[in-house]
Amino acid sequence: MVIEDAVEFVCEHPRLGEAKSGDLQGIRVYKFTHNRQQYLIAYRPPAEEELKAGGVEIELLFIDFYQIGTHENFYASLKKYLKS
């Protein structure tokens, strides 16, 4: 339930996560805590052009989620996944 809540929050606020650079350019990471453990969610939000649909209200928004996990080896694992 906690992960579902965090994913829903990201869907409502796709620009909130920390923007990454370098090998992870275009990826954002949202951090949340559960039972004193920090978790990270890696995702790619929609492009700015998609959010600004010429004044048209957007009813459906796609966000690509890549990985959810603890900090340990998170970024190394994410880079490996994105390269494959």
Side-chain angles (χ1 to χ4, degrees):
M1 190 71 162
V2 174
I3 291 174
E4 290 174 6
D5 292 343
V7 167
E8 186 174 312
F9 186 78
V10 167
C11 289
E12 292 171 5
H13 310 281
R15 298 282 176 223
L16 190 62
E18 179 183 340
K20 296 298 166 185
S21 60
D23 292 346
L24 299 176
Q25 179 124 16
I27 300 290
R28 287 186 173 265
V29 174
Y30 173 71
K31 299 175 183 179
F32 67 97
T33 303
H34 177 64
N35 289 337
R36 296 185 292 162
Q37 175 70 49
Q38 186 178 61
Y39 291 88
L40 294 82
I41 299 177
Y43 64 98
R44 186 180 310 270
E48 284 296 323
E49 307 84 60
E50 294 175 74
L51 293 175
K52 298 175 184 173
V56 176
E57 185 176 333
I58 298 173
E59 293 184 25
L60 182 62
L61 188 66
F62 288 97
I63 298 176
D64 295 323
F65 288 91
Y66 294 102
Q67 182 172 307
I68 298 174
T70 59
H71 195 281
E72 186 176 349
N73 298 320
F74 184 84
Y75 292 106
S77 174
L78 179 59
K79 287 178 185 182
K80 184 177 178 181
Y81 172 78
L82 292 173
K83 284 184 179 182
S84 64

